[in-house]
mmCIF file of all heavy atoms in Angstrom:
data_model
loop_
_atom_site.group_PDB
_atom_site.id
_atom_site.type_symbol
_atom_site.label_atom_id
_atom_site.label_comp_id
_atom_site.label_asym_id
_atom_site.label_seq_id
_atom_site.Cartn_x
_atom_site.Cartn_y
_atom_site.Cartn_z
ATOM 1 N N ASP A 200 123.610 109.965 109.106
ATOM 2 C CA ASP A 200 124.901 110.492 108.737
ATOM 3 C C ASP A 200 125.324 110.088 107.324
ATOM 4 O O ASP A 200 126.491 110.095 106.970
ATOM 5 C CB ASP A 200 125.981 110.106 109.754
ATOM 6 C CG ASP A 200 126.016 108.585 109.987
ATOM 7 O OD1 ASP A 200 125.217 107.886 109.296
ATOM 8 O OD2 ASP A 200 126.791 108.131 110.831
ATOM 9 N N VAL A 201 124.316 109.704 106.530
ATOM 10 C CA VAL A 201 124.652 109.328 105.159
ATOM 11 C C VAL A 201 124.008 110.348 104.182
ATOM 12 O O VAL A 201 122.856 110.723 104.351
ATOM 13 C CB VAL A 201 124.139 107.912 104.806
ATOM 14 C CG1 VAL A 201 124.622 107.496 103.436
ATOM 15 C CG2 VAL A 201 124.582 106.900 105.858
ATOM 16 N N THR A 202 124.760 110.735 103.193
ATOM 17 C CA THR A 202 124.238 111.653 102.166
ATOM 18 C C THR A 202 124.118 110.913 100.844
ATOM 19 O O THR A 202 125.051 110.202 100.443
ATOM 20 C CB THR A 202 125.170 112.885 102.014
ATOM 21 O OG1 THR A 202 125.153 113.568 103.290
ATOM 22 C CG2 THR A 202 124.690 113.820 100.940
ATOM 23 N N TYR A 203 122.991 111.076 100.218
ATOM 24 C CA TYR A 203 122.739 110.418 98.911
ATOM 25 C C TYR A 203 122.619 111.503 97.860
ATOM 26 O O TYR A 203 121.968 112.527 98.090
ATOM 27 C CB TYR A 203 121.442 109.604 98.978
ATOM 28 C CG TYR A 203 121.439 108.580 100.099
ATOM 29 C CD1 TYR A 203 120.994 108.935 101.380
ATOM 30 C CD2 TYR A 203 121.878 107.293 99.882
ATOM 31 C CE1 TYR A 203 121.000 107.998 102.418
ATOM 32 C CE2 TYR A 203 121.880 106.344 100.917
ATOM 33 C CZ TYR A 203 121.446 106.737 102.178
ATOM 34 O OH TYR A 203 121.468 105.832 103.201
ATOM 35 N N GLU A 204 123.221 111.255 96.705
ATOM 36 C CA GLU A 204 123.156 112.246 95.620
ATOM 37 C C GLU A 204 122.767 111.529 94.338
ATOM 38 O O GLU A 204 123.249 110.407 94.093
ATOM 39 C CB GLU A 204 124.518 112.871 95.409
ATOM 40 C CG GLU A 204 124.747 114.100 96.247
ATOM 41 C CD GLU A 204 126.085 114.742 95.882
ATOM 42 O OE1 GLU A 204 126.129 115.434 94.843
ATOM 43 O OE2 GLU A 204 127.070 114.516 96.629
ATOM 44 N N ALA A 205 121.941 112.177 93.533
ATOM 45 C CA ALA A 205 121.555 111.571 92.238
ATOM 46 C C ALA A 205 120.982 112.620 91.309
ATOM 47 O O ALA A 205 120.412 113.629 91.757
ATOM 48 C CB ALA A 205 120.553 110.450 92.456
ATOM 49 N N PRO A 206 121.073 112.379 90.000
ATOM 50 C CA PRO A 206 120.476 113.306 89.037
ATOM 51 C C PRO A 206 118.962 113.178 88.929
ATOM 52 O O PRO A 206 118.313 114.008 88.286
ATOM 53 C CB PRO A 206 121.153 112.915 87.724
ATOM 54 C CG PRO A 206 121.580 111.520 87.889
ATOM 55 C CD PRO A 206 121.883 111.347 89.344
ATOM 56 N N ARG A 207 118.401 112.117 89.471
ATOM 57 C CA ARG A 207 116.953 111.922 89.422
ATOM 58 C C ARG A 207 116.436 111.688 90.821
ATOM 59 O O ARG A 207 117.088 111.041 91.657
ATOM 60 C CB ARG A 207 116.601 110.706 88.570
ATOM 61 C CG ARG A 207 116.902 110.847 87.102
ATOM 62 C CD ARG A 207 115.853 111.689 86.398
ATOM 63 N NE ARG A 207 116.066 111.687 84.940
ATOM 64 C CZ ARG A 207 116.874 112.524 84.299
ATOM 65 N NH1 ARG A 207 117.572 113.430 84.970
ATOM 66 N NH2 ARG A 207 117.012 112.437 83.003
ATOM 67 N N LEU A 208 115.176 112.135 91.021
ATOM 68 C CA LEU A 208 114.478 111.893 92.291
ATOM 69 C C LEU A 208 113.084 111.451 91.966
ATOM 70 O O LEU A 208 112.414 112.045 91.116
ATOM 71 C CB LEU A 208 114.438 113.195 93.097
ATOM 72 C CG LEU A 208 113.585 113.164 94.366
ATOM 73 C CD1 LEU A 208 114.265 112.317 95.452
ATOM 74 C CD2 LEU A 208 113.340 114.570 94.899
ATOM 75 N N VAL A 209 112.624 110.391 92.590
ATOM 76 C CA VAL A 209 111.220 109.946 92.364
ATOM 77 C C VAL A 209 110.530 109.936 93.719
ATOM 78 O O VAL A 209 110.958 109.262 94.655
ATOM 79 C CB VAL A 209 111.159 108.552 91.735
ATOM 80 C CG1 VAL A 209 109.704 108.132 91.528
ATOM 81 C CG2 VAL A 209 111.924 108.505 90.419
ATOM 82 N N LEU A 210 109.427 110.687 93.822
ATOM 83 C CA LEU A 210 108.590 110.635 95.006
ATOM 84 C C LEU A 210 107.606 109.492 94.833
ATOM 85 O O LEU A 210 106.704 109.559 93.996
ATOM 86 C CB LEU A 210 107.834 111.948 95.213
ATOM 87 C CG LEU A 210 108.684 113.217 95.236
ATOM 88 C CD1 LEU A 210 107.811 114.437 95.577
ATOM 89 C CD2 LEU A 210 109.836 113.097 96.237
ATOM 90 N N GLY A 211 107.814 108.427 95.608
ATOM 91 C CA GLY A 211 106.922 107.267 95.580
ATOM 92 C C GLY A 211 106.512 106.940 96.991
ATOM 93 O O GLY A 211 106.526 105.785 97.401
ATOM 94 N N ALA A 212 106.213 107.998 97.762
ATOM 95 C CA ALA A 212 106.023 107.841 99.203
ATOM 96 C C ALA A 212 104.573 107.824 99.628
ATOM 97 O O ALA A 212 104.230 108.093 100.761
ATOM 98 C CB ALA A 212 106.773 108.943 99.939
ATOM 99 N N GLY A 213 103.664 107.480 98.727
ATOM 100 C CA GLY A 213 102.253 107.343 99.082
ATOM 101 C C GLY A 213 101.741 108.629 99.693
ATOM 102 O O GLY A 213 101.878 109.722 99.095
ATOM 103 N N LEU A 214 101.145 108.518 100.876
ATOM 104 C CA LEU A 214 100.587 109.703 101.547
ATOM 105 C C LEU A 214 101.649 110.701 101.943
ATOM 106 O O LEU A 214 101.345 111.852 102.208
ATOM 107 C CB LEU A 214 99.736 109.258 102.739
ATOM 108 C CG LEU A 214 98.435 108.553 102.364
ATOM 109 C CD1 LEU A 214 97.811 107.840 103.576
ATOM 110 C CD2 LEU A 214 97.443 109.518 101.729
ATOM 111 N N GLY A 215 102.918 110.238 101.958
ATOM 112 C CA GLY A 215 104.021 111.149 102.280
ATOM 113 C C GLY A 215 104.338 112.112 101.133
ATOM 114 O O GLY A 215 105.040 113.100 101.335
ATOM 115 N N ASN A 216 103.800 111.854 99.943
ATOM 116 C CA ASN A 216 104.143 112.665 98.770
ATOM 117 C C ASN A 216 103.628 114.091 98.877
ATOM 118 O O ASN A 216 104.201 115.014 98.278
ATOM 119 C CB ASN A 216 103.562 112.054 97.485
ATOM 120 C CG ASN A 216 104.300 110.795 97.100
ATOM 121 O OD1 ASN A 216 105.489 110.680 97.322
ATOM 122 N ND2 ASN A 216 103.580 109.848 96.493
ATOM 123 N N ASN A 217 102.544 114.275 99.613
ATOM 124 C CA ASN A 217 101.961 115.607 99.780
ATOM 125 C C ASN A 217 102.984 116.560 100.341
ATOM 126 O O ASN A 217 103.267 117.620 99.763
ATOM 127 C CB ASN A 217 100.765 115.451 100.750
ATOM 128 C CG ASN A 217 99.699 116.492 100.471
ATOM 129 O OD1 ASN A 217 100.037 117.588 100.078
ATOM 130 N ND2 ASN A 217 98.456 116.130 100.637
ATOM 131 N N ALA A 218 103.630 116.176 101.451
ATOM 132 C CA ALA A 218 104.631 117.046 102.096
ATOM 133 C C ALA A 218 105.929 117.062 101.294
ATOM 134 O O ALA A 218 106.539 118.143 101.111
ATOM 135 C CB ALA A 218 104.906 116.542 103.504
ATOM 136 N N LEU A 219 106.342 115.917 100.770
ATOM 137 C CA LEU A 219 107.618 115.878 100.030
ATOM 138 C C LEU A 219 107.545 116.714 98.761
ATOM 139 O O LEU A 219 108.536 117.356 98.368
ATOM 140 C CB LEU A 219 107.971 114.415 99.691
ATOM 141 C CG LEU A 219 108.372 113.543 100.903
ATOM 142 C CD1 LEU A 219 108.374 112.053 100.503
ATOM 143 C CD2 LEU A 219 109.708 113.960 101.453
ATOM 144 N N GLY A 220 106.384 116.694 98.103
ATOM 145 C CA GLY A 220 106.219 117.437 96.844
ATOM 146 C C GLY A 220 106.553 118.914 97.013
ATOM 147 O O GLY A 220 107.213 119.509 96.171
ATOM 148 N N LYS A 221 106.134 119.473 98.143
ATOM 149 C CA LYS A 221 106.369 120.905 98.387
ATOM 150 C C LYS A 221 107.842 121.237 98.388
ATOM 151 O O LYS A 221 108.252 122.357 98.076
ATOM 152 C CB LYS A 221 105.741 121.298 99.724
ATOM 153 C CG LYS A 221 104.239 121.123 99.748
ATOM 154 C CD LYS A 221 103.586 121.767 100.980
ATOM 155 C CE LYS A 221 102.080 121.795 100.874
ATOM 156 N NZ LYS A 221 101.440 120.489 101.234
ATOM 157 N N LEU A 222 108.690 120.234 98.718
ATOM 158 C CA LEU A 222 110.144 120.488 98.802
ATOM 159 C C LEU A 222 110.777 120.609 97.433
ATOM 160 O O LEU A 222 111.888 121.085 97.294
ATOM 161 C CB LEU A 222 110.842 119.364 99.605
ATOM 162 C CG LEU A 222 110.319 119.096 101.034
ATOM 163 C CD1 LEU A 222 111.056 117.921 101.655
ATOM 164 C CD2 LEU A 222 110.457 120.345 101.880
ATOM 165 N N VAL A 223 110.085 120.091 96.395
ATOM 166 C CA VAL A 223 110.661 120.142 95.052
ATOM 167 C C VAL A 223 109.716 120.760 94.025
ATOM 168 O O VAL A 223 109.793 120.458 92.829
ATOM 169 C CB VAL A 223 111.102 118.729 94.581
ATOM 170 C CG1 VAL A 223 112.341 118.265 95.378
ATOM 171 C CG2 VAL A 223 109.980 117.710 94.689
ATOM 172 N N GLY A 224 108.792 121.593 94.496
ATOM 173 C CA GLY A 224 107.927 122.303 93.586
ATOM 174 C C GLY A 224 106.879 121.440 92.899
ATOM 175 O O GLY A 224 106.473 121.718 91.765
ATOM 176 N N LEU A 225 106.427 120.388 93.573
ATOM 177 C CA LEU A 225 105.371 119.535 92.979
ATOM 178 C C LEU A 225 104.130 119.612 93.875
ATOM 179 O O LEU A 225 104.226 119.424 95.085
ATOM 180 C CB LEU A 225 105.855 118.085 92.871
ATOM 181 C CG LEU A 225 106.880 117.782 91.767
ATOM 182 C CD1 LEU A 225 107.509 116.400 91.998
ATOM 183 C CD2 LEU A 225 106.186 117.813 90.385
ATOM 184 N N ASN A 226 102.989 119.849 93.239
ATOM 185 C CA ASN A 226 101.721 119.912 93.963
ATOM 186 C C ASN A 226 101.082 118.519 93.933
ATOM 187 O O ASN A 226 100.562 118.098 92.918
ATOM 188 C CB ASN A 226 100.821 120.963 93.280
ATOM 189 C CG ASN A 226 99.469 121.037 93.927
ATOM 190 O OD1 ASN A 226 99.259 120.569 95.040
ATOM 191 N ND2 ASN A 226 98.515 121.650 93.218
ATOM 192 N N VAL A 227 101.114 117.819 95.087
ATOM 193 C CA VAL A 227 100.618 116.432 95.114
ATOM 194 C C VAL A 227 99.534 116.318 96.199
ATOM 195 O O VAL A 227 99.812 115.844 97.319
ATOM 196 C CB VAL A 227 101.789 115.430 95.429
ATOM 197 C CG1 VAL A 227 101.320 114.013 95.166
ATOM 198 C CG2 VAL A 227 103.002 115.752 94.603
ATOM 199 N N PRO A 228 98.309 116.720 95.876
ATOM 200 C CA PRO A 228 97.303 116.818 96.927
ATOM 201 C C PRO A 228 96.633 115.458 97.246
ATOM 202 O O PRO A 228 95.423 115.331 97.223
ATOM 203 C CB PRO A 228 96.277 117.790 96.321
ATOM 204 C CG PRO A 228 96.380 117.580 94.849
ATOM 205 C CD PRO A 228 97.821 117.200 94.580
ATOM 206 N N VAL A 229 97.428 114.453 97.570
ATOM 207 C CA VAL A 229 96.834 113.144 97.919
ATOM 208 C C VAL A 229 96.306 113.157 99.352
ATOM 209 O O VAL A 229 96.875 113.809 100.227
ATOM 210 C CB VAL A 229 97.827 111.980 97.745
ATOM 211 C CG1 VAL A 229 98.035 111.655 96.285
ATOM 212 C CG2 VAL A 229 99.174 112.242 98.439
#
Side-chain angles (χ1 to χ4, degrees):
Chain A
D200 53 3
V201 186
T202 296
Y203 304 88
E204 271 185 79
R207 292 282 188 274
L208 173 71
V209 181
L210 306 185
L214 290 167
N216 288 328
N217 210 325
L219 290 168
K221 297 190 171 81
L222 304 177
V223 290
L225 285 166
N226 177 17
V227 192
V229 286

